[in-house]
Amino acid sequence: MVRYRYRVYPTAPQRQVLARVFGCVRVVFNDSLRLRQAAYEAGEKLTDTEIQRRVVTLAKTTPERVWLAEAPSVALVQACNDARRAYRNWFDSLSGRRKGRKIGRPRFRKKANRQSIRLTRNGFSLRGERLYVAKVGELKVRWSRDLPSVPSSVTVVMEPDGRYYASFVVEVADTPLPKVERQVGVDLGLSTFATVAATDGSTEKVENPRHLRKAERRLVHAQKALSRKQKGSANRNKARCRVAVLHRKVRDSRADHAHKTAHRLIRDNQAVHVEDLSIAGLGRTRLAKSVHDAGWGQFLRVLEDKAARFGRTVTKVDRWFPSTQLCSVCGGLGGKKPLSVREWECGCGAVHDRDENAARNILAAGQAATACGDGVSPDVGPAVVGEAGTPRSAA
């Protein structure tokens, strides 16, 4: 299951209707969170059906929430489901049933942030070149590509910069690529985005685009102009949109670079070996801004998604593996090296580029871990080996 996103162009009356629907969905979501929190503090157990009945069915009969009838009931039900999922994810994270980073308490939705509504098949339909949304009407869609199958749901999104999008969930078949013998090890960095060492002996350095750094000056001017505008004024809203547009351009350019780089690596290599980096930990250091600007986490997610779709393998080498300290020629341990050391000479006489040597060591460690068959190499320590996960994007 993948997402295909298209830009939509609602008319002025449709934008007003969508604004009301966004508000209704936001209120239902916040009411669900508030009711669940009150029930939890009071020690009362409420079923999901009872919560939905109170915040949607009964709320429509009250003078304070009678305007909920203006929104599609499907979107209101999905808002209740979103609140339920948010609370369950939080409790599963607290109990340890959910793996990965800890998830915080669900937060209330705000009017100033990104707005969205999700509709299942009984809340939307495709009518020729237009998208029909219940109680909104037919929306004009810019079809940049054909849908591969009938969508099971659609999410209508309004970004902070004022653009509208329709994101369809569709099912696509995996398309495995022909097998090749080439494998690569990838060392992610900041001076260069990635250093790639291949089994054929070649090395490549992918430059770091530094998308945020390049747009920083324009962002500073736009944010200063925003801070001078009077709150609640039309000029402040225009300045806010200008800031949102700059952030969108940075976000889109970073995603484009991640997809193109990952696609090239997956297309040309049977296996890609990378380090299992602690990106969240690096994001709390003095290099946090540069780490987040590089977008390592997004790149690794895209790499795994494309590997699963095209029948390739992504191997994650243990983060404690000393890829920078080992000599890729003799295997000698050269000790820790500060970031200022970009080249070093081993006792065997080999002179190494810091990043290229690390990429070669990651390649060797990934191959050794894969050869063991259980994802653990006796020489390099534990590693995570296997196909990528199923959730992915089609971009």
Side-chain angles (χ1 to χ4, degrees):
M1 305 299 292
V2 299
R3 284 191 175 274
Y4 275 55
R5 193 172 82 150
Y6 306 86
R7 189 170 176 191
V8 297
Y9 298 87
T11 62
Q14 288 175 339
R15 287 197 294 268
Q16 294 179 359
V17 176
L18 281 172
R20 290 196 294 268
V21 175
F22 288 143
C24 293
V25 171
R26 185 174 61 250
V27 167
V28 169
F29 180 86
N30 293 341
D31 287 347
S32 299
L33 290 187
R34 197 175 294 110
L35 180 59
R36 288 179 180 275
Q37 181 64 26
Y40 175 74
E41 293 176 352
E44 181 183 4
K45 291 186 178 181
L46 296 178
T47 63
D48 298 334
T49 305
E50 177 62 20
I51 291 177
Q52 179 178 320
R53 189 180 74 89
R54 293 189 186 184
V55 301
V56 177
T57 307
L58 294 182
K60 289 181 180 180
T61 62
T62 62
E64 297 82 4
R65 295 286 189 267
V66 66
W67 34 263
L68 289 178
E70 299 177 4
S73 59
V74 178
L76 303 182
V77 171
Q78 295 302 318
C80 293
N81 293 337
D82 290 343
R84 171 183 57 82
R85 188 179 302 108
Y87 253 95
R88 288 191 176 178
N89 289 341
W90 178 41
F91 285 127
D92 290 345
S93 180
L94 290 176
S95 62
R97 287 193 298 268
R98 182 185 175 93
K99 305 302 180 183
R101 293 183 61 188
K102 293 295 183 182
I103 296 179
R105 179 192 297 269
R107 293 180 293 182
F108 294 109
R109 292 181 179 177
K110 297 182 180 180
K111 185 178 180 180
N113 296 339
R114 173 179 180 270
Q115 305 294 314
S116 66
I117 57 171
R118 190 170 71 257
L119 303 164
T120 52
R121 287 179 178 173
N122 55 346
F124 78 97
S125 62
L126 295 176
R127 298 180 177 179
E129 296 295 320
R130 293 182 176 264
L131 168 66
Y132 172 77
V133 177
K135 297 193 176 182
V136 176
E138 295 183 355
L139 301 175
K140 179 183 177 181
V141 184
R142 184 178 180 272
W143 297 103
S144 55
R145 52 183 171 173
D146 295 332
L147 286 171
S149 60
V150 178
S152 59
S153 68
V154 64
T155 303
V156 180
V157 181
M158 187 188 73
E159 296 288 354
D161 61 355
R163 289 190 173 190
Y164 292 82
Y165 297 91
S167 179
F168 297 93
V169 175
V170 295
E171 184 176 357
V172 296
D174 291 339
T175 55
L177 294 173
K179 290 189 176 182
V180 294
E181 298 298 328
R182 194 171 186 263
Q183 300 184 24
V184 292
V186 180
D187 177 61
L188 299 177
L190 296 178
S191 57
T192 57
F193 177 76
T195 303
V196 183
T199 51
D200 58 11
S202 62
T203 59
E204 175 194 1
K205 289 193 175 184
V206 180
E207 294 299 322
N208 187 359
R210 294 182 172 86
H211 304 285
L212 181 62
R213 298 285 186 181
K214 291 180 180 178
E216 202 166 24
R217 186 173 181 179
R218 294 191 298 272
L219 274 169
V220 167
H221 287 295
Q223 288 168 338
K224 282 185 178 180
L226 174 62
S227 66
R228 298 188 186 104
K229 300 298 187 289
Q230 183 179 357
K231 291 186 177 181
S233 65
N235 284 336
R236 183 178 178 86
N237 187 52
K238 293 178 183 178
R240 181 192 59 78
C241 287
R242 283 193 288 270
V243 173
V245 167
L246 291 175
H247 279 294
R248 172 179 55 81
K249 290 181 178 180
V250 171
R251 181 176 66 250
D252 290 348
S253 59
R254 184 183 293 123
D256 181 71
H257 178 263
H259 277 279
K260 288 180 177 178
T261 305
H263 183 78
R264 183 166 58 86
L265 290 174
I266 293 299
R267 180 194 61 199
D268 299 337
N269 305 282
Q270 185 64 33
V272 180
H273 311 286
V274 296
E275 279 186 298
D276 184 22
L277 297 173
S278 176
I279 301 175
L282 293 170
R284 293 191 291 267
T285 65
R286 60 184 179 86
L287 300 174
K289 191 171 187 179
S290 298
V291 169
H292 292 309
D293 190 15
W296 293 339
Q298 182 183 33
F299 169 73
L300 293 176
R301 286 194 300 271
V302 171
L303 189 69
E304 293 176 346
D305 293 345
K306 293 184 181 297
R309 186 174 182 182
F310 297 116
R312 302 303 201 201
T313 302
V314 173
T315 304
K316 288 189 176 180
V317 179
D318 184 73
R319 66 185 58 173
W320 301 112
F321 172 65
S323 59
T324 306
Q325 303 176 30
L326 287 176
C327 173
S328 58
V329 176
C330 67
L333 193 63
K336 292 185 178 181
K337 300 168 183 63
L339 289 175
S340 58
V341 177
R342 308 313 302 174
E343 289 187 359
W344 59 282
E345 182 177 0
C346 180
C348 66
V351 179
H352 298 294
D353 177 275
R354 178 193 184 99
D355 298 330
E356 292 180 0
N357 178 70
R360 293 191 187 98
N361 288 328
I362 292 172
L363 173 60
Q367 289 179 307
T370 306
C372 289
D374 57 355
V376 178
S377 170
D379 297 326
V380 302
V384 180
V385 182
E387 298 294 333
T390 53
R392 54 187 184 267
S393 169

